[in-house]
Amino acid sequence: MPDYSLVEQMLPARFLTELGIYLQSAAHLELAIWQILMYSDGEFEPEPSKLIQYLETKKVTKVLVTELSKATPKLSPGLAVRVAALSARISDGLQKRNLAAHGAFFVEPANSLLHVAHYFAEGKKPNRQWFEANEKISRRTIALAIDEIDILLREAVAIRDAIKDSARK
């Protein structure tokens, strides 16, 4: 077995670490959103049939975020405002997180800059439209993306914990 995988030979180690941090933050964000949905319904340990319903919601990120925005009427006014703001920010970043998770990153030999390539689909068959993403990624873009996802994750965890704490009272 070689010392390095092909991807480790293609991309800087620092970037691979940062991508891992970003993707794990996004995964934990989705988990916290899912828990917010359950907790806002008063479900802290759902029965198996209810759990399956929540898992179906969790399976599709767009559905998960849509359901998050619908949870606001079930919450106190302060938490509802926070959830609405969180939902909007998460929704605004869906395409960026999709690009991070599914895009192919590479260093362009002509300029030694990091790039990402991916195709996005909008709409449903037969009218689906395809769009190409092929962009340069700067160090600043990476740092800002990690900061942003960390802020979203911290807010989601704080909201989740506040809902759980308020149910205990």
Side-chain angles (χ1 to χ4, degrees):
M1 181 176 205
D3 291 338
Y4 295 101
S5 67
L6 182 57
V7 140
E8 288 173 288
Q9 294 172 28
M10 295 168 63
L11 294 167
R14 178 178 178 182
F15 171 71
L16 290 173
T17 299
E18 291 166 333
L19 183 59
I21 291 167
Y22 183 86
L23 292 175
Q24 274 300 293
S25 296
H28 281 272
L29 176 61
E30 288 188 12
L31 176 64
I33 293 168
W34 182 62
Q35 291 168 326
I36 288 169
L37 292 177
M38 288 190 299
Y39 295 176
S40 67
D41 286 340
E43 297 284 348
F44 297 95
E45 294 181 27
E47 297 290 322
S49 62
K50 272 284 217 190
L51 180 62
I52 289 171
Q53 289 175 338
Y54 287 112
L55 287 170
E56 289 296 330
T57 299
K58 185 181 185 305
K59 182 174 72 171
V60 180
T61 303
K62 282 186 178 184
V63 173
L64 185 64
V65 175
T66 299
E67 291 302 312
L68 178 65
S69 65
K70 292 179 184 177
T72 57
K74 304 170 194 172
L75 301 169
S76 68
L79 284 174
V81 168
R82 289 172 66 186
V83 165
L86 178 67
S87 178
R89 288 187 66 195
I90 290 169
S91 187
D92 288 346
L94 281 176
Q95 194 173 57
K96 182 182 355 178
R97 287 188 299 281
N98 182 291
L99 184 62
H102 302 288
F105 292 88
F106 59 96
V107 176
E108 181 64 51
N111 58 22
S112 298
L113 297 175
L114 185 66
H115 290 250
V116 62
H118 185 51
Y119 286 89
F120 291 98
E122 286 186 11
K124 295 185 180 196
K125 292 180 182 177
N127 299 319
R128 180 172 289 153
Q129 298 287 316
W130 288 93
F131 302 94
E132 180 182 14
N134 187 345
E135 40 191 87
K136 295 177 207 164
I137 308 294
S138 69
R139 295 282 333 131
R140 179 169 168 71
T141 300
I142 294 166
L144 289 173
I146 291 172
D147 285 348
E148 179 183 25
I149 195 78
D150 187 60
I151 288 167
L152 293 175
L153 175 58
R154 288 174 188 273
E155 177 65 355
V157 167
I159 290 168
R160 178 199 64 199
D161 292 349
I163 295 169
K164 197 169 186 178
D165 290 345
S166 69
R168 290 183 183 147
K169 294 177 183 175

